Amino acid sequence: MNKLLLLGGNGDIGQAIKNKFVSEGFHVNSPSSKELNLENIDLIEGFMSQHDGFDVLIQCAGFNEPKAVDDVSIDDIFKTFKINVFGFYKIVQMNLDYFKKKNNGWILGISSLYGTISRENRSPYAMSKHALNGLIKTLAIELGKYNIKSNTLSPGFVETKMTRKNNSEDKIKSFENKIPLGRLASPENIADAALFLCSGQNGYINGQDIIIDGGFMAGGFQQ
């Protein structure tokens, strides 16, 4: 049975990923933020030392607090990077011996369209997602010799509580009008792709950013 460490499993996308992998027979370890605080390296080391390793690592934890550039502090940036990138980096490092011993594994970062483009009031978040994409591409290069497949998924606009919190109803309708498929993604749409990339179905996709946005980036945003 493959073992999955899922960060951010309590969010809408994370919960869908957890349910999908459990239904496929994976053993899923999805610690809460209290059990595994990504802002605290000591706690990360303590958590990882209690486990012998994981076959799959998925980073779905994310912090996004919209602010204009002139209101963003350095502490805001550090917090965003710790949760979205740095903590995951440490976890990957501590799982490397297990990956190498197995000569197999999958690493997945749940990124965002804002890892490729950006939007007003999203500077820390966009910076962190660009960094996550860069990390995953580097892992794909360095760890490919151990048969580890590293990729990112970049959801577009997904029907989640965070989407509803950070956008007005009018803004969401505007998104829907600009998406060629005419609707937001469901969390299950993201989970389906995550399972494909992090299971035996994927033996060769490595170093890629798979965008799941209903066609928005293909030009729908111009409508």
Side-chain angles (χ1 to χ4, degrees), residues 59-114:
Q59 160 62 326
C60 194
F63 180 75
N64 179 18
E65 188 174 80
K67 287 185 180 181
V69 168
D70 49 359
D71 294 325
V72 172
S73 69
I74 293 299
D75 286 342
D76 291 331
I77 296 172
F78 280 153
K79 178 174 182 177
T80 305
F81 268 73
K82 285 177 182 178
I83 295 172
N84 294 3
V85 186
F86 295 161
F88 184 57
Y89 196 118
K90 185 62 178 179
I91 287 168
V92 170
Q93 285 183 320
M94 294 192 70
N95 202 67
L96 286 180
D97 285 345
Y98 181 84
F99 275 147
K100 292 175 182 179
K101 181 176 67 176
K102 298 277 286 192
N103 197 43
N104 194 32
W106 296 268
I107 298 172
L108 182 66
I110 304 300
S111 185
S112 167
L113 295 187
Y114 303 136

Side-chain angles (χ1 to χ4, degrees), residues 177-190:
N177 290 335
K178 294 174 181 177
I179 296 169
L181 289 183
R183 63 183 184 276
L184 303 186
S186 70
E188 290 72 25
N189 293 148
I190 313 306

Side-chain angles (χ1 to χ4, degrees), residues 97-146:
D97 285 345
Y98 181 84
F99 275 147
K100 292 175 182 179
K101 181 176 67 176
K102 298 277 286 192
N103 197 43
N104 194 32
W106 296 268
I107 298 172
L108 182 66
I110 304 300
S111 185
S112 167
L113 295 187
Y114 303 136
T116 301
I117 58 174
S118 192
R119 177 181 171 189
E120 63 180 12
N121 300 331
R122 296 298 193 280
S123 57
Y125 186 72
M127 290 161 63
S128 72
K129 292 302 185 179
H130 277 71
L132 179 62
N133 287 1
L135 167 62
I136 291 294
K137 290 182 185 301
T138 307
L139 294 177
I141 296 166
E142 292 192 23
L143 304 183
K145 60 187 174 185
Y146 303 111

Side-chain angles (χ1 to χ4, degrees), residues 23-42:
S23 72
E24 293 295 322
F26 284 72
H27 176 78
V28 179
N29 191 318
S30 181
S32 69
S33 58
K34 291 182 179 179
E35 296 172 293
L36 182 57
N37 183 348
L38 295 175
E39 295 183 72
N40 190 318
I41 295 297
D42 291 338

